[in-house]
Amino acid sequence: MKQRKTGAQAGTTTTPAPHALAAEVRPGQSVELLKELHILTRDGKLNQDSRRKLKQVYHLYQFIEKLLQELPAPKSTGLTLADHGAGKSYLGFILYDLFFKNLAGSHIYGIETRAELVDKSRELAARLDFDRMSFLNLTVAESAQSKELPGRIDVVTALHACDTATDDAIAFGLQKNAQAFVLVPCCQAEVARHLSQGKALSLARTPLAELWRHPLHTREMGSQITNVLRCLYLEARGYQVTVTELVGWEHSMKNELILARYTGQRKRGSAERLRAILQEFGLLTLLDTRFTLPEDNGVDNAIPA
């Protein structure tokens, strides 16, 4: 497949980076944007903290750029991307500047619950003439029903969306027939709560429950199990899943990056393992909420009496 040209390849009218920054700032990158995001100082310099931040942003961009280049863009609309829990929209702005800006018809939607951040992002997009960016003051769950978003979204991102917001982003993407997911989960608590509720019964049933007997271990086990379940769920729904590190552990403990690309091949084995894990850990009620399996996998969602 012929790869489309990104902003760095296709040429742009943005202000060129100062010569001293050539090694860190990509060719064609908007220096004004990097200043607005406080990655560059007002006089165009990098300090140690901003250099580390820029490195992390580019590291993540490389993962997403590869995904985007592999996706077929609809001729009539271009690619669409929804960024859930957008915050200050660092990711959305960088993606637009380096990729979407030169991809005709494509659009980025930033979804954020804090109205003041949505307003600031709108102002910045207008100032930079990033006219195919929209910012919506919605929760992830609300966005699935919003008429401000199209019926199809090609790529769904959710970076550090807390607790069940990552699951809401997955549900959103499945509803919108997303071609790809880019997820960095954060603060998973739902499964940990379920583990705590059934702890006494689990300890009596199996010595493996010692893995979550102490509250700290419950939290960590809940986080690990949640991400494993999410990966199996995506595989059961027809996605090829890759799990890797986002950045070095010295930068962040919330470091797991889940990349999923739609293939249409629903894995029956993943559906069966998902249900088995839910049953083993006393989490079968989640089959009715977070991990509803498609019927054609042949896996019964009914919870036994």
Side-chain angles (χ1 to χ4, degrees):
M1 182 183 295
K2 185 178 179 180
Q3 294 184 346
R4 294 182 295 274
K5 292 183 178 181
T6 64
Q9 298 166 326
T12 179
T13 58
T14 52
T15 304
H19 178 71
L21 297 178
E24 278 109 348
V25 175
R26 291 192 171 203
Q29 176 86 68
S30 169
V31 173
E32 182 181 355
L33 171 63
L34 296 179
K35 289 180 180 179
E36 290 289 346
L37 297 179
H38 304 293
I39 292 176
L40 293 181
T41 62
R42 283 297 165 193
D43 56 357
K45 295 181 179 179
L46 280 168
N47 57 35
Q48 190 59 37
D49 182 62
S50 59
R51 182 173 283 106
R52 182 170 60 248
K53 184 184 297 183
L54 184 63
K55 182 179 179 181
Q56 292 175 20
V57 168
Y58 284 159
H59 184 63
L60 177 59
Y61 174 75
Q62 288 175 343
F63 285 111
I64 302 176
E65 180 186 35
K66 186 175 185 297
L67 270 178
L68 292 171
Q69 289 174 336
E70 293 172 352
L71 297 181
K75 292 181 180 179
S76 59
T77 60
L79 288 175
T80 51
L81 181 145
D83 181 24
H84 289 287
K88 296 179 180 179
S89 293
Y90 274 60
L91 176 62
F93 279 116
I94 293 293
L95 283 172
Y96 190 93
D97 189 35
L98 291 178
F99 197 95
F100 280 75
K101 183 171 59 182
N102 297 288
L103 196 60
S106 296
H107 204 105
I108 290 180
Y109 298 87
I111 298 164
E112 172 57 46
T113 59
R114 289 166 287 183
E116 67 277 10
L117 296 184
V118 172
D119 290 340
K120 288 180 180 179
S121 293
R122 287 172 178 169
E123 292 168 4
L124 178 56
R127 193 157 64 249
L128 295 175
D129 292 325
F130 287 7
D131 57 345
R132 285 178 284 108
M133 293 191 79
S134 299
F135 300 93
L136 309 178
N137 184 205
L138 299 168
T139 66
V140 182
E142 289 169 345
S143 67
Q145 309 304 322
S146 174
K147 294 182 179 180
E148 296 181 84
L149 286 141
R152 180 186 177 95
I153 294 289
D154 295 298
V155 182
V156 174
T157 64
L159 270 61
H160 300 124
C162 284
D163 198 11
T164 58
T166 296
D167 301 294
D168 290 337
I170 292 173
F172 170 94
L174 293 175
Q175 178 185 316
K176 299 290 187 179
N177 297 313
Q179 297 185 66
F181 287 90
V182 179
L183 308 170
V184 180
C186 182
C187 306
Q188 300 96 311
E190 184 179 45
V191 167
R193 287 192 294 269
H194 283 273
L195 291 175
S196 294
Q197 291 167 4
K199 190 175 295 185
L201 179 61
S202 297
L203 283 166
R205 184 172 58 86
T206 172
L208 288 177
E210 290 293 336
L211 295 173
W212 66 93
R213 177 161 66 95
H214 300 287
L216 177 62
H217 294 160
T218 303
R219 185 184 68 192
E220 296 303 318
M221 276 294 295
S223 177
Q224 182 76 354
I225 292 170
T226 300
N227 288 341
V228 170
L229 293 172
R230 287 166 174 163
C231 292
L232 289 171
Y233 183 53
L234 286 167
E235 289 177 345
R237 297 300 297 261
Y239 291 81
Q240 180 182 18
V241 177
T242 301
V243 181
T244 187
E245 290 184 358
L246 174 59
V247 292
W249 289 106
E250 68 274 14
H251 301 304
S252 173
M253 293 301 290
K254 305 299 181 182
N255 193 41
E256 186 168 338
L257 174 63
I258 299 173
L259 301 167
R261 169 77 189 277
Y262 187 70
T263 64
Q265 182 182 358
R266 295 179 173 181
K267 295 184 178 179
R268 180 186 177 93
S270 295
E272 292 172 343
R273 291 187 188 99
L274 170 62
R275 194 182 194 286
I277 291 173
L278 290 171
Q279 185 166 14
E280 178 67 25
F281 287 97
L283 302 170
L284 278 174
T285 55
L286 295 180
L287 277 174
D288 283 343
T289 55
R290 299 294 172 196
F291 304 112
T292 304
L293 294 167
E295 293 179 3
D296 62 353
N297 269 307
V299 178
D300 183 8
N301 280 330
I303 299 173

